[in-house]
């Protein structure tokens, strides 16, 4: 096909791909980022924000949002570290076996070396796991009639927008580089009321860790706070092991009411809701049951103004983002959703 033909084909196709329905949800398409019109069906499709130490994976539908919280050093302590099997001297043989399609021989050889070092079976590395999940579920009966999601890479902020009951709602989230916290804001640009219930929940299987986690629950909910604490009760902690951690979330609402109900915090008829969350990791030191109190104390003294917190974070995050420029060429195209770009 000649170049003029390609140009004509693109010119005819581009308008069909353009989709700016997110504008009806008062959601701006970030200059550096994306907008998706498809709700995540799996956690793998969630939005991601982070500050280099803590990270958040945002999944679920607008009516049942899930914020999975992670930390760069949170590895589930299933087994203590073991000496590494020396494979370097055998790399030539492994490469030869792999290229010849005899990978099973390389596997058997590596297993034999492990047995000679006293390892009767494979010891898997301790997996990186989330500390837990902040669940935010709607208490309204209204059906979601439209939704969109976006991530602004330059600001390091994720937004979910949806329409329900004649109003538009936004939930925004970032992991602050400036204040070392996770901030979430729920509000309605059209004046709708916030009616949700919130809970911090665990995600880790306690039967797969080296210690006994059944001795300590550590999940609480009140009108102004959510907490989650875990003590792994390791009998023989090793250097660098995670002995436990704590998460505290401060709930700051404007208007409305709040009460604890069956392990959840119910927020009703609020104009907006801000959640400030911090994480304490007991790594290489004993678990401290007062970690939750320390987190609550640090969060209590913070200004809960989401916009000011976001501005401080965006400045720090933007300076890092702005260090690199990538240009792929081509003509400027209208802002489109990810689905339209991939169609």
């Amino acid at each position: 096909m000649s170049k003029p033909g390609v140009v004509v084909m693109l010119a005819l196709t581009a308008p069909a791909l353009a989709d700016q329905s997110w504008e009806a949800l008062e959601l701006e398409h970030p200059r550096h980022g994306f907008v998706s019109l498809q709700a995540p069906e799996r956690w793998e499709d969630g939005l991601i924000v982070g500050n280099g130490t803590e990270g958040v994976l945002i999944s679920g539908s607008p009516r049942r949002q899930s914020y999975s919280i992670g930390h760069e050093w949170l590895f589930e302590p299933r087994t203590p570290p073991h000496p590494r099997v020396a494979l370097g001297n055998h790399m030539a043989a492994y490469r030869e076996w792999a290229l010849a399609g005899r990978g099973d021989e390389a596997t058997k050889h590596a297993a034999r070396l492990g047995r000679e070092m006293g390892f009767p079976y494979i010891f898997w590395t301790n997996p990186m796991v989330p500390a837990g999940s902040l669940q935010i579920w709607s208490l309204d009966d209204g059906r979601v009639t439209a939704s969109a999601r976006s991530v602004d890479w330059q600001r390091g902020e994720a937004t979910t927008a949806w329409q329900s009951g004649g109003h538009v709602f936004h939930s925004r989230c970032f992991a602050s580089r400036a204040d070392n916290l996770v901030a979430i804001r729920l509000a309605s640009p059209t004046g709708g009321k916030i009616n949700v219930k919130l809970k911090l929940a665990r995600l880790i299987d306690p039967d797969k860790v080296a210690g006994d986690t059944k001795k300590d629950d550590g999940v609480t909910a009140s009108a102004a706070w959510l907490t989650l604490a875990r003590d792994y009760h390791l009998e023989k902690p090793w250097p660098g092991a995670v002995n436990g951690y704590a998460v505290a979330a401060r709930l700051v609402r404007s208007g409305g009411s709040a009460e604890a109900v069956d392990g959840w915090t119910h927020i009703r008829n609020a104009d907006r809701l801000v959640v400030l969350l911090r994480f304490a990791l007991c790594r290489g030191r004993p678990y401290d049951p007062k970690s939750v109190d320390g987190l609550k104390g640090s969060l209590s003294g913070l200004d809960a103004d989401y916009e000011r917190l976001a501005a401080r974070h965006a400045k720090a995050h933007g300076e890092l983002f702005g260090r690199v420029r990538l240009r792929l060429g081509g003509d400027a195209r209208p802002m489109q959703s990810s689905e339209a770009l991939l169609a």
Side-chain angles (χ1 to χ4, degrees):
M1 183 178 291
S2 65
K3 288 184 178 180
V6 173
V7 173
V8 171
M9 182 183 70
L10 291 178
L12 292 174
T13 305
L17 294 177
D19 183 358
Q20 297 181 344
S21 61
W22 61 83
E23 292 181 351
L25 298 173
E26 302 191 29
L27 180 65
E28 294 184 6
H29 196 303
R31 181 184 178 191
H32 300 289
F34 69 89
V35 168
S36 172
L37 304 179
Q38 183 175 346
E41 297 181 357
R42 309 170 302 165
W43 67 265
E44 292 94 336
D45 301 322
L47 305 179
I48 298 175
V49 294
N51 61 12
T53 301
E54 294 96 2
V56 183
L57 175 69
I58 307 163
S59 59
S61 68
R63 290 185 56 82
R64 290 195 172 189
Q65 296 186 64
S66 176
Y67 296 77
S68 298
I69 309 148
H71 189 282
E72 65 173 336
W73 287 110
L74 182 50
F75 292 86
E76 191 172 271
R78 297 185 181 180
T79 59
H82 296 276
R84 303 294 186 266
V85 178
L87 302 178
N89 295 332
H90 307 279
M91 291 306 298
Y94 293 156
R95 189 177 297 111
E96 181 180 341
W97 284 329
L99 292 174
R102 295 154 54 195
D104 57 332
E105 294 187 37
T107 301
K108 292 177 181 178
H109 185 269
R112 180 175 61 79
L113 292 178
R115 288 193 297 272
E116 292 175 356
M117 291 186 63
F119 302 143
Y121 51 86
I122 295 177
F123 290 94
W124 296 105
T125 57
N126 291 327
M128 175 173 277
V129 293
S133 176
L134 173 63
Q135 301 290 317
I136 304 181
W137 292 13
S138 174
L139 292 173
D140 286 328
D141 296 328
R143 184 173 63 91
V144 174
T145 56
S147 66
R149 306 177 296 149
S150 75
V151 173
D152 187 328
W153 297 323
Q154 188 169 16
R155 290 179 55 85
E157 184 180 35
T159 302
T160 301
W162 68 96
Q163 188 173 46
S164 177
H167 286 286
V168 172
F169 297 88
H170 289 176
S171 65
R172 298 164 57 190
C173 176
F174 64 90
S176 176
R177 292 183 180 274
D179 294 290
N180 189 34
L181 57 79
V182 173
I184 302 168
R185 181 180 186 267
L186 276 71
S188 169
T190 61
K193 297 296 184 180
I194 305 300
N195 292 284
V196 295
K197 63 178 182 178
L198 305 91
K199 179 181 183 178
L200 276 172
R202 288 180 172 168
L203 298 176
I204 302 173
D205 184 353
D207 294 327
K208 293 183 178 180
V209 298
D212 179 7
T213 62
K214 298 178 182 179
K215 300 177 183 177
D216 181 20
D217 186 20
V219 177
T220 68
S222 67
W225 293 94
L226 299 171
T227 67
L228 184 156
R230 164 155 291 183
D231 183 352
Y232 283 119
H233 299 282
L234 298 178
E235 294 181 0
K236 297 180 179 180
W238 54 89
V242 175
N243 291 287
Y245 60 85
V247 181
R250 177 187 171 197
L251 311 180
V252 184
R253 58 184 168 80
S254 297
S257 63
E259 65 173 338
V261 180
D262 296 330
W264 294 75
T265 299
H266 288 217
I267 306 292
R268 295 187 182 275
N269 297 317
D271 296 319
R272 60 183 175 274
L273 172 67
V274 174
V275 181
L276 303 180
L277 183 148
R278 269 186 175 158
F279 193 107
L281 192 69
C282 299
R283 176 175 176 264
R285 59 186 175 88
Y287 171 75
D288 183 0
K290 296 181 180 179
S291 295
V292 169
D293 294 334
L295 291 174
K296 292 172 73 172
S298 69
L299 289 171
S300 296
L302 279 177
D303 178 7
D305 187 296
Y306 181 92
E307 298 299 342
R308 283 198 286 267
L309 291 169
R312 288 202 295 268
H313 162 67
K315 184 177 184 298
H317 187 86
E319 289 175 354
L320 292 174
F321 182 86
R323 294 177 182 178
V324 177
R325 292 287 186 272
L326 174 64
R327 297 186 182 277
L328 300 177
D331 298 331
R333 304 181 67 183
M335 294 295 189
Q336 299 179 17
S337 68
S338 297
E339 291 73 25
L341 291 171
L342 294 173

